[in-house]
Structure formats: C-alpha cells, structure tokens
Amino acid sequence: MKVIYLHQEETEIIQLAIDNNRQAQQQIYSKFSSKMLSVCRQYIKDIQQAEDVMITSFMKVFVNLNRFENKGSFEGWIRRIMVNECISYLRVHKKVKFIEDENYTEESFNGIESQLSTDQIQFLIDSLPDGYKMVFNLYAIEGYKHNEIATMLGINEGTSKSQLSHARKMLQKQITTLKKQENGTE
C-alpha cells in the first residue's frame, strides 16, 4: 500500500486517483466534499437529497477523472460537475418550468444585505420558485453568463434574464419584509 502525504502535488493525487488508488480518492473527497455539499445545497433544498446528488456527482468525478486536463482549477472542474448534476436532478425530480417572459426590466440589485446571516440568506434563496432559484444561483453565485445559462437549461437567453430579474425582485421584497419584521414595523 502506498502512503499519500498531505502535501503532495494535486496533479500527483489526481493521477493516483485515476489509477484507482482509494486513499487518493478519499483525499480528494475529504478535501472538497464540504464545499461541494454547499454547492448542491444551493440548488436542492433538502439536505439529504443534496448529499445524495453530491455523492452521485463524486462518482462521476472519479469515473471521469482522466478527462480533467489540468486547465483551470480542479475545484472548478468538480464544481461544474456538481452544478450539472444538480440541474439534472431537478429536471428529473422537480420538473422545473421556466416562464417565457421577454418583457423584463433590468433592475439594479446591490446584493443581499450584509446584516443577514448565512441561514437567513439561504432561507430567502430557498423560498424562490425553482426556476428563479436555479438561474439566480447560476448567475449570481456561480458566475455564468446568460447565454451559458440558457444553453445549460435549454431555455432562451431572454428567459434566463427574466428569471433573474424576477428572482431579484422577489429577494428584494423578502429582504424588505424581513427588515420590517426585525425592526418591529410590521
């Protein structure tokens, strides 16, 4: 049995994992699993379902590890697999529907208030309809452009923009309501 040192180069660990070295695979899983569960949790409300999707995604990571070309970050490559698997899961289990709405208005949105806790932010995002939530996560959190989102989700670019606009409006309204509740004005 070969010992893997904690400070081995990432490329060496990846190569060992490609060669089915279970310790190397475990090291990759241990290093990235908590971050990737957070990614899955952004798309899937139920923590057990998010964890199932994450585990399925890691299986895809290990099966396709030989396809990683050391272009860009390894974490980013894994993250993309997680996001794609979340989208597939939602398509199969939730049947997310997107409303075609070419008449959207681009509104300024300064982000979610810094006074909100992570749990509050997650709660607000979770309360969005699935289509809004998916586009919001892909755009605001993952950094995809509307044309990329449209391709990933099989929708028009205008629909992606519209879903984001609606999500922002809904979040802004929820933040205002939350602030009023905290200040005792509602």
mmCIF file of all heavy atoms in Angstrom, residues 41-80:
data_model
loop_
_atom_site.group_PDB
_atom_site.id
_atom_site.type_symbol
_atom_site.label_atom_id
_atom_site.label_comp_id
_atom_site.label_asym_id
_atom_site.label_seq_id
_atom_site.Cartn_x
_atom_site.Cartn_y
_atom_site.Cartn_z
ATOM 1 N N ARG A 41 -26.379 22.164 -2.088
ATOM 2 C CA ARG A 41 -27.409 22.709 -1.205
ATOM 3 C C ARG A 41 -27.986 24.015 -1.757
ATOM 4 O O ARG A 41 -29.133 24.342 -1.515
ATOM 5 C CB ARG A 41 -26.801 22.914 0.188
ATOM 6 C CG ARG A 41 -27.700 23.473 1.219
ATOM 7 C CD ARG A 41 -28.903 22.574 1.499
ATOM 8 N NE ARG A 41 -29.802 23.287 2.380
ATOM 9 C CZ ARG A 41 -30.631 24.253 1.995
ATOM 10 N NH1 ARG A 41 -30.727 24.587 0.727
ATOM 11 N NH2 ARG A 41 -31.377 24.883 2.858
ATOM 12 N N GLN A 42 -27.202 24.757 -2.523
ATOM 13 C CA GLN A 42 -27.706 25.983 -3.143
ATOM 14 C C GLN A 42 -28.839 25.691 -4.123
ATOM 15 O O GLN A 42 -29.714 26.518 -4.326
ATOM 16 C CB GLN A 42 -26.594 26.721 -3.886
ATOM 17 C CG GLN A 42 -25.624 27.433 -2.995
ATOM 18 C CD GLN A 42 -26.274 28.584 -2.262
ATOM 19 O OE1 GLN A 42 -27.116 29.286 -2.787
ATOM 20 N NE2 GLN A 42 -25.885 28.763 -1.021
ATOM 21 N N TYR A 43 -28.814 24.526 -4.726
ATOM 22 C CA TYR A 43 -29.808 24.172 -5.731
ATOM 23 C C TYR A 43 -30.919 23.285 -5.176
ATOM 24 O O TYR A 43 -32.043 23.333 -5.654
ATOM 25 C CB TYR A 43 -29.143 23.451 -6.916
ATOM 26 C CG TYR A 43 -28.215 24.359 -7.657
ATOM 27 C CD1 TYR A 43 -26.875 24.481 -7.286
ATOM 28 C CD2 TYR A 43 -28.675 25.133 -8.714
ATOM 29 C CE1 TYR A 43 -26.030 25.344 -7.947
ATOM 30 C CE2 TYR A 43 -27.832 26.002 -9.384
ATOM 31 C CZ TYR A 43 -26.505 26.097 -8.992
ATOM 32 O OH TYR A 43 -25.668 26.961 -9.642
ATOM 33 N N ILE A 44 -30.587 22.473 -4.190
ATOM 34 C CA ILE A 44 -31.520 21.482 -3.672
ATOM 35 C C ILE A 44 -31.773 21.762 -2.199
ATOM 36 O O ILE A 44 -30.842 21.715 -1.384
ATOM 37 C CB ILE A 44 -30.965 20.055 -3.885
ATOM 38 C CG1 ILE A 44 -30.725 19.838 -5.381
ATOM 39 C CG2 ILE A 44 -31.905 19.015 -3.303
ATOM 40 C CD1 ILE A 44 -29.913 18.620 -5.714
ATOM 41 N N LYS A 45 -33.011 22.055 -1.875
ATOM 42 C CA LYS A 45 -33.386 22.496 -0.527
ATOM 43 C C LYS A 45 -33.145 21.418 0.533
ATOM 44 O O LYS A 45 -32.623 21.693 1.600
ATOM 45 C CB LYS A 45 -34.863 22.896 -0.526
ATOM 46 C CG LYS A 45 -35.309 23.593 0.721
ATOM 47 C CD LYS A 45 -36.791 23.919 0.701
ATOM 48 C CE LYS A 45 -37.133 24.963 -0.306
ATOM 49 N NZ LYS A 45 -38.503 25.461 -0.187
ATOM 50 N N ASP A 46 -33.540 20.197 0.261
ATOM 51 C CA ASP A 46 -33.433 19.110 1.229
ATOM 52 C C ASP A 46 -31.977 18.638 1.345
ATOM 53 O O ASP A 46 -31.367 18.237 0.357
ATOM 54 C CB ASP A 46 -34.332 17.948 0.801
ATOM 55 C CG ASP A 46 -34.319 16.810 1.796
ATOM 56 O OD1 ASP A 46 -35.114 16.864 2.764
ATOM 57 O OD2 ASP A 46 -33.503 15.889 1.610
ATOM 58 N N ILE A 47 -31.452 18.675 2.560
ATOM 59 C CA ILE A 47 -30.025 18.365 2.776
ATOM 60 C C ILE A 47 -29.690 16.919 2.402
ATOM 61 O O ILE A 47 -28.622 16.660 1.839
ATOM 62 C CB ILE A 47 -29.582 18.697 4.224
ATOM 63 C CG1 ILE A 47 -28.068 18.557 4.389
ATOM 64 C CG2 ILE A 47 -30.296 17.844 5.244
ATOM 65 C CD1 ILE A 47 -27.268 19.606 3.690
ATOM 66 N N GLN A 48 -30.595 15.971 2.683
ATOM 67 C CA GLN A 48 -30.305 14.568 2.333
ATOM 68 C C GLN A 48 -30.270 14.380 0.824
ATOM 69 O O GLN A 48 -29.409 13.659 0.301
ATOM 70 C CB GLN A 48 -31.350 13.608 2.957
ATOM 71 C CG GLN A 48 -31.129 13.331 4.414
ATOM 72 C CD GLN A 48 -31.815 14.335 5.323
ATOM 73 O OE1 GLN A 48 -32.680 15.099 4.891
ATOM 74 N NE2 GLN A 48 -31.436 14.353 6.584
ATOM 75 N N GLN A 49 -31.190 15.036 0.120
ATOM 76 C CA GLN A 49 -31.188 14.938 -1.336
ATOM 77 C C GLN A 49 -29.946 15.616 -1.919
ATOM 78 O O GLN A 49 -29.340 15.107 -2.857
ATOM 79 C CB GLN A 49 -32.455 15.554 -1.916
ATOM 80 C CG GLN A 49 -33.695 14.749 -1.600
ATOM 81 C CD GLN A 49 -34.970 15.451 -2.024
ATOM 82 O OE1 GLN A 49 -34.970 16.638 -2.336
ATOM 83 N NE2 GLN A 49 -36.074 14.717 -2.027
ATOM 84 N N ALA A 50 -29.568 16.752 -1.335
ATOM 85 C CA ALA A 50 -28.358 17.444 -1.784
ATOM 86 C C ALA A 50 -27.137 16.560 -1.580
ATOM 87 O O ALA A 50 -26.250 16.490 -2.440
ATOM 88 C CB ALA A 50 -28.199 18.773 -1.039
ATOM 89 N N GLU A 51 -27.099 15.866 -0.452
ATOM 90 C CA GLU A 51 -25.969 14.968 -0.171
ATOM 91 C C GLU A 51 -25.957 13.794 -1.148
ATOM 92 O O GLU A 51 -24.888 13.398 -1.638
ATOM 93 C CB GLU A 51 -26.050 14.465 1.266
ATOM 94 C CG GLU A 51 -24.797 13.753 1.708
ATOM 95 C CD GLU A 51 -24.785 13.447 3.195
ATOM 96 O OE1 GLU A 51 -25.755 13.757 3.908
ATOM 97 O OE2 GLU A 51 -23.773 12.883 3.642
ATOM 98 N N ASP A 52 -27.128 13.249 -1.463
ATOM 99 C CA ASP A 52 -27.205 12.163 -2.449
ATOM 100 C C ASP A 52 -26.677 12.619 -3.809
ATOM 101 O O ASP A 52 -25.923 11.906 -4.475
ATOM 102 C CB ASP A 52 -28.650 11.673 -2.608
ATOM 103 C CG ASP A 52 -29.128 10.863 -1.417
ATOM 104 O OD1 ASP A 52 -28.294 10.461 -0.572
ATOM 105 O OD2 ASP A 52 -30.352 10.640 -1.324
ATOM 106 N N VAL A 53 -27.073 13.820 -4.215
ATOM 107 C CA VAL A 53 -26.610 14.361 -5.504
ATOM 108 C C VAL A 53 -25.097 14.577 -5.456
ATOM 109 O O VAL A 53 -24.382 14.281 -6.417
ATOM 110 C CB VAL A 53 -27.365 15.656 -5.871
ATOM 111 C CG1 VAL A 53 -26.733 16.341 -7.073
ATOM 112 C CG2 VAL A 53 -28.825 15.355 -6.134
ATOM 113 N N MET A 54 -24.587 15.074 -4.316
ATOM 114 C CA MET A 54 -23.147 15.284 -4.187
ATOM 115 C C MET A 54 -22.390 13.960 -4.326
ATOM 116 O O MET A 54 -21.392 13.874 -5.037
ATOM 117 C CB MET A 54 -22.809 15.920 -2.836
ATOM 118 C CG MET A 54 -21.317 16.158 -2.670
ATOM 119 S SD MET A 54 -20.789 16.396 -0.962
ATOM 120 C CE MET A 54 -21.091 14.797 -0.250
ATOM 121 N N ILE A 55 -22.878 12.921 -3.681
ATOM 122 C CA ILE A 55 -22.211 11.615 -3.749
ATOM 123 C C ILE A 55 -22.248 11.073 -5.171
ATOM 124 O O ILE A 55 -21.236 10.579 -5.686
ATOM 125 C CB ILE A 55 -22.839 10.640 -2.733
ATOM 126 C CG1 ILE A 55 -22.476 11.097 -1.314
ATOM 127 C CG2 ILE A 55 -22.382 9.211 -2.981
ATOM 128 C CD1 ILE A 55 -23.245 10.416 -0.213
ATOM 129 N N THR A 56 -23.405 11.188 -5.820
ATOM 130 C CA THR A 56 -23.512 10.769 -7.224
ATOM 131 C C THR A 56 -22.532 11.560 -8.088
ATOM 132 O O THR A 56 -21.882 11.005 -8.977
ATOM 133 C CB THR A 56 -24.959 10.978 -7.734
ATOM 134 O OG1 THR A 56 -25.843 10.215 -6.917
ATOM 135 C CG2 THR A 56 -25.100 10.569 -9.185
ATOM 136 N N SER A 57 -22.420 12.846 -7.804
ATOM 137 C CA SER A 57 -21.505 13.703 -8.565
ATOM 138 C C SER A 57 -20.060 13.276 -8.356
ATOM 139 O O SER A 57 -19.269 13.263 -9.308
ATOM 140 C CB SER A 57 -21.673 15.163 -8.151
ATOM 141 O OG SER A 57 -22.985 15.600 -8.420
ATOM 142 N N PHE A 58 -19.699 12.936 -7.131
ATOM 143 C CA PHE A 58 -18.323 12.475 -6.880
ATOM 144 C C PHE A 58 -18.045 11.170 -7.616
ATOM 145 O O PHE A 58 -16.917 10.952 -8.078
ATOM 146 C CB PHE A 58 -18.036 12.340 -5.382
ATOM 147 C CG PHE A 58 -17.408 13.568 -4.790
ATOM 148 C CD1 PHE A 58 -18.119 14.367 -3.913
ATOM 149 C CD2 PHE A 58 -16.113 13.949 -5.130
ATOM 150 C CE1 PHE A 58 -17.553 15.520 -3.375
ATOM 151 C CE2 PHE A 58 -15.538 15.097 -4.604
ATOM 152 C CZ PHE A 58 -16.258 15.881 -3.723
ATOM 153 N N MET A 59 -19.057 10.318 -7.747
ATOM 154 C CA MET A 59 -18.861 9.100 -8.538
ATOM 155 C C MET A 59 -18.525 9.478 -9.982
ATOM 156 O O MET A 59 -17.620 8.902 -10.582
ATOM 157 C CB MET A 59 -20.120 8.219 -8.488
ATOM 158 C CG MET A 59 -20.393 7.632 -7.115
ATOM 159 S SD MET A 59 -19.063 6.585 -6.499
ATOM 160 C CE MET A 59 -19.089 5.276 -7.691
ATOM 161 N N LYS A 60 -19.236 10.489 -10.510
ATOM 162 C CA LYS A 60 -18.944 10.963 -11.866
ATOM 163 C C LYS A 60 -17.559 11.590 -11.939
ATOM 164 O O LYS A 60 -16.857 11.434 -12.940
ATOM 165 C CB LYS A 60 -20.012 11.947 -12.331
ATOM 166 C CG LYS A 60 -21.324 11.284 -12.629
ATOM 167 C CD LYS A 60 -22.314 12.221 -13.245
ATOM 168 C CE LYS A 60 -23.577 11.434 -13.584
ATOM 169 N NZ LYS A 60 -24.530 12.221 -14.344
ATOM 170 N N VAL A 61 -17.172 12.301 -10.888
ATOM 171 C CA VAL A 61 -15.828 12.886 -10.843
ATOM 172 C C VAL A 61 -14.784 11.785 -10.986
ATOM 173 O O VAL A 61 -13.880 11.874 -11.819
ATOM 174 C CB VAL A 61 -15.602 13.684 -9.531
ATOM 175 C CG1 VAL A 61 -14.120 13.991 -9.319
ATOM 176 C CG2 VAL A 61 -16.416 14.978 -9.541
ATOM 177 N N PHE A 62 -14.920 10.725 -10.195
ATOM 178 C CA PHE A 62 -13.906 9.670 -10.208
ATOM 179 C C PHE A 62 -13.931 8.860 -11.500
ATOM 180 O O PHE A 62 -12.876 8.464 -12.002
ATOM 181 C CB PHE A 62 -14.045 8.766 -8.979
ATOM 182 C CG PHE A 62 -13.715 9.487 -7.698
ATOM 183 C CD1 PHE A 62 -14.604 9.480 -6.633
ATOM 184 C CD2 PHE A 62 -12.538 10.206 -7.566
ATOM 185 C CE1 PHE A 62 -14.316 10.164 -5.454
ATOM 186 C CE2 PHE A 62 -12.235 10.900 -6.396
ATOM 187 C CZ PHE A 62 -13.126 10.871 -5.343
ATOM 188 N N VAL A 63 -15.107 8.648 -12.074
ATOM 189 C CA VAL A 63 -15.208 7.926 -13.343
ATOM 190 C C VAL A 63 -14.584 8.736 -14.475
ATOM 191 O O VAL A 63 -13.953 8.178 -15.382
ATOM 192 C CB VAL A 63 -16.684 7.578 -13.655
ATOM 193 C CG1 VAL A 63 -16.865 7.141 -15.096
ATOM 194 C CG2 VAL A 63 -17.190 6.520 -12.698
ATOM 195 N N ASN A 64 -14.726 10.058 -14.417
ATOM 196 C CA ASN A 64 -14.255 10.930 -15.499
ATOM 197 C C ASN A 64 -12.963 11.670 -15.167
ATOM 198 O O ASN A 64 -12.587 12.594 -15.893
ATOM 199 C CB ASN A 64 -15.348 11.942 -15.854
ATOM 200 C CG ASN A 64 -16.559 11.265 -16.431
ATOM 201 O OD1 ASN A 64 -16.486 10.655 -17.485
ATOM 202 N ND2 ASN A 64 -17.669 11.339 -15.723
ATOM 203 N N LEU A 65 -12.304 11.289 -14.121
ATOM 204 C CA LEU A 65 -11.096 11.985 -13.675
ATOM 205 C C LEU A 65 -10.026 12.063 -14.762
ATOM 206 O O LEU A 65 -9.309 13.061 -14.862
ATOM 207 C CB LEU A 65 -10.539 11.286 -12.434
ATOM 208 C CG LEU A 65 -9.741 12.100 -11.456
ATOM 209 C CD1 LEU A 65 -10.443 13.376 -11.063
ATOM 210 C CD2 LEU A 65 -9.445 11.274 -10.210
ATOM 211 N N ASN A 66 -9.957 11.045 -15.591
ATOM 212 C CA ASN A 66 -8.962 11.059 -16.672
ATOM 213 C C ASN A 66 -9.254 12.125 -17.719
ATOM 214 O O ASN A 66 -8.399 12.444 -18.539
ATOM 215 C CB ASN A 66 -8.856 9.681 -17.321
ATOM 216 C CG ASN A 66 -10.164 9.221 -17.929
ATOM 217 O OD1 ASN A 66 -11.242 9.692 -17.556
ATOM 218 N ND2 ASN A 66 -10.084 8.284 -18.850
ATOM 219 N N ARG A 67 -10.450 12.716 -17.684
ATOM 220 C CA ARG A 67 -10.806 13.781 -18.629
ATOM 221 C C ARG A 67 -10.381 15.162 -18.144
ATOM 222 O O ARG A 67 -10.443 16.122 -18.904
ATOM 223 C CB ARG A 67 -12.306 13.784 -18.886
ATOM 224 C CG ARG A 67 -12.770 12.548 -19.616
ATOM 225 C CD ARG A 67 -14.227 12.633 -19.922
ATOM 226 N NE ARG A 67 -14.644 11.434 -20.626
ATOM 227 C CZ ARG A 67 -15.871 11.212 -21.003
ATOM 228 N NH1 ARG A 67 -16.815 12.097 -20.743
ATOM 229 N NH2 ARG A 67 -16.177 10.106 -21.629
ATOM 230 N N PHE A 68 -10.003 15.273 -16.873
ATOM 231 C CA PHE A 68 -9.531 16.562 -16.367
ATOM 232 C C PHE A 68 -8.194 16.857 -17.030
ATOM 233 O O PHE A 68 -7.258 16.067 -16.957
ATOM 234 C CB PHE A 68 -9.392 16.537 -14.839
ATOM 235 C CG PHE A 68 -8.835 17.817 -14.272
ATOM 236 C CD1 PHE A 68 -9.553 19.001 -14.370
ATOM 237 C CD2 PHE A 68 -7.591 17.847 -13.666
ATOM 238 C CE1 PHE A 68 -9.047 20.188 -13.863
ATOM 239 C CE2 PHE A 68 -7.077 19.024 -13.152
ATOM 240 C CZ PHE A 68 -7.806 20.192 -13.249
ATOM 241 N N GLU A 69 -8.099 18.016 -17.683
ATOM 242 C CA GLU A 69 -6.926 18.340 -18.500
ATOM 243 C C GLU A 69 -5.958 19.303 -17.823
ATOM 244 O O GLU A 69 -5.082 19.855 -18.477
ATOM 245 C CB GLU A 69 -7.394 18.937 -19.831
ATOM 246 C CG GLU A 69 -8.249 17.980 -20.634
ATOM 247 C CD GLU A 69 -8.842 18.627 -21.867
ATOM 248 O OE1 GLU A 69 -8.751 19.866 -22.012
ATOM 249 O OE2 GLU A 69 -9.393 17.878 -22.688
ATOM 250 N N ASN A 70 -6.091 19.531 -16.526
ATOM 251 C CA ASN A 70 -5.247 20.485 -15.791
ATOM 252 C C ASN A 70 -5.312 21.884 -16.379
ATOM 253 O O ASN A 70 -4.358 22.638 -16.306
ATOM 254 C CB ASN A 70 -3.793 19.996 -15.711
ATOM 255 C CG ASN A 70 -3.647 18.837 -14.748
ATOM 256 O OD1 ASN A 70 -4.195 18.867 -13.653
ATOM 257 N ND2 ASN A 70 -2.927 17.811 -15.161
ATOM 258 N N LYS A 71 -6.446 22.213 -16.982
ATOM 259 C CA LYS A 71 -6.697 23.568 -17.474
ATOM 260 C C LYS A 71 -7.700 24.175 -16.515
ATOM 261 O O LYS A 71 -8.805 23.676 -16.375
ATOM 262 C CB LYS A 71 -7.257 23.544 -18.896
ATOM 263 C CG LYS A 71 -6.292 23.008 -19.921
ATOM 264 C CD LYS A 71 -6.922 22.974 -21.290
ATOM 265 C CE LYS A 71 -5.947 22.365 -22.292
ATOM 266 N NZ LYS A 71 -6.590 22.164 -23.585
ATOM 267 N N GLY A 72 -7.333 25.236 -15.862
ATOM 268 C CA GLY A 72 -8.202 25.803 -14.840
ATOM 269 C C GLY A 72 -8.041 25.025 -13.549
ATOM 270 O O GLY A 72 -7.209 24.123 -13.428
ATOM 271 N N SER A 73 -8.865 25.374 -12.584
ATOM 272 C CA SER A 73 -8.715 24.731 -11.281
ATOM 273 C C SER A 73 -9.452 23.402 -11.229
ATOM 274 O O SER A 73 -10.509 23.226 -11.839
ATOM 275 C CB SER A 73 -9.223 25.655 -10.168
ATOM 276 O OG SER A 73 -10.631 25.640 -10.107
ATOM 277 N N PHE A 74 -8.898 22.493 -10.477
ATOM 278 C CA PHE A 74 -9.512 21.192 -10.256
ATOM 279 C C PHE A 74 -10.828 21.375 -9.500
ATOM 280 O O PHE A 74 -11.831 20.744 -9.821
ATOM 281 C CB PHE A 74 -8.535 20.294 -9.485
ATOM 282 C CG PHE A 74 -9.037 18.901 -9.264
ATOM 283 C CD1 PHE A 74 -9.458 18.110 -10.326
ATOM 284 C CD2 PHE A 74 -9.069 18.364 -7.985
ATOM 285 C CE1 PHE A 74 -9.922 16.815 -10.124
ATOM 286 C CE2 PHE A 74 -9.521 17.077 -7.771
ATOM 287 C CZ PHE A 74 -9.945 16.301 -8.834
ATOM 288 N N GLU A 75 -10.828 22.257 -8.517
ATOM 289 C CA GLU A 75 -12.048 22.534 -7.754
ATOM 290 C C GLU A 75 -13.158 23.059 -8.674
ATOM 291 O O GLU A 75 -14.315 22.668 -8.542
ATOM 292 C CB GLU A 75 -11.776 23.543 -6.641
ATOM 293 C CG GLU A 75 -12.991 23.847 -5.800
ATOM 294 C CD GLU A 75 -12.705 24.803 -4.649
ATOM 295 O OE1 GLU A 75 -11.540 24.892 -4.208
ATOM 296 O OE2 GLU A 75 -13.654 25.453 -4.194
ATOM 297 N N GLY A 76 -12.803 23.926 -9.602
ATOM 298 C CA GLY A 76 -13.789 24.455 -10.544
ATOM 299 C C GLY A 76 -14.360 23.367 -11.434
ATOM 300 O O GLY A 76 -15.554 23.372 -11.753
ATOM 301 N N TRP A 77 -13.521 22.424 -11.824
ATOM 302 C CA TRP A 77 -13.956 21.298 -12.651
ATOM 303 C C TRP A 77 -14.950 20.439 -11.872
ATOM 304 O O TRP A 77 -15.998 20.064 -12.388
ATOM 305 C CB TRP A 77 -12.733 20.489 -13.080
ATOM 306 C CG TRP A 77 -13.017 19.335 -13.992
ATOM 307 C CD1 TRP A 77 -13.263 19.387 -15.331
ATOM 308 C CD2 TRP A 77 -13.065 17.957 -13.617
ATOM 309 N NE1 TRP A 77 -13.466 18.111 -15.812
ATOM 310 C CE2 TRP A 77 -13.335 17.221 -14.790
ATOM 311 C CE3 TRP A 77 -12.898 17.270 -12.425
ATOM 312 C CZ2 TRP A 77 -13.452 15.828 -14.791
ATOM 313 C CZ3 TRP A 77 -13.000 15.886 -12.415
ATOM 314 C CH2 TRP A 77 -13.277 15.180 -13.593
ATOM 315 N N ILE A 78 -14.629 20.158 -10.620
ATOM 316 C CA ILE A 78 -15.532 19.379 -9.770
ATOM 317 C C ILE A 78 -16.843 20.146 -9.572
ATOM 318 O O ILE A 78 -17.932 19.572 -9.657
ATOM 319 C CB ILE A 78 -14.878 19.058 -8.404
ATOM 320 C CG1 ILE A 78 -13.682 18.112 -8.592
ATOM 321 C CG2 ILE A 78 -15.895 18.448 -7.441
ATOM 322 C CD1 ILE A 78 -12.881 17.884 -7.316
ATOM 323 N N ARG A 79 -16.727 21.430 -9.307
ATOM 324 C CA ARG A 79 -17.908 22.268 -9.067
ATOM 325 C C ARG A 79 -18.855 22.240 -10.260
ATOM 326 O O ARG A 79 -20.070 22.164 -10.103
ATOM 327 C CB ARG A 79 -17.450 23.692 -8.771
ATOM 328 C CG ARG A 79 -18.553 24.634 -8.382
ATOM 329 C CD ARG A 79 -17.979 26.035 -8.114
ATOM 330 N NE ARG A 79 -18.970 26.857 -7.519
ATOM 331 C CZ ARG A 79 -19.069 27.118 -6.213
ATOM 332 N NH1 ARG A 79 -18.184 26.618 -5.377
ATOM 333 N NH2 ARG A 79 -20.031 27.875 -5.757
ATOM 334 N N ARG A 80 -18.302 22.292 -11.454
ATOM 335 C CA ARG A 80 -19.130 22.269 -12.661
ATOM 336 C C ARG A 80 -19.902 20.944 -12.758
ATOM 337 O O ARG A 80 -21.076 20.927 -13.128
ATOM 338 C CB ARG A 80 -18.271 22.486 -13.899
ATOM 339 C CG ARG A 80 -19.075 22.609 -15.156
ATOM 340 C CD ARG A 80 -18.208 22.991 -16.352
ATOM 341 N NE ARG A 80 -19.069 23.514 -17.381
ATOM 342 C CZ ARG A 80 -19.145 24.781 -17.738
ATOM 343 N NH1 ARG A 80 -18.373 25.664 -17.159
ATOM 344 N NH2 ARG A 80 -19.948 25.169 -18.683
#
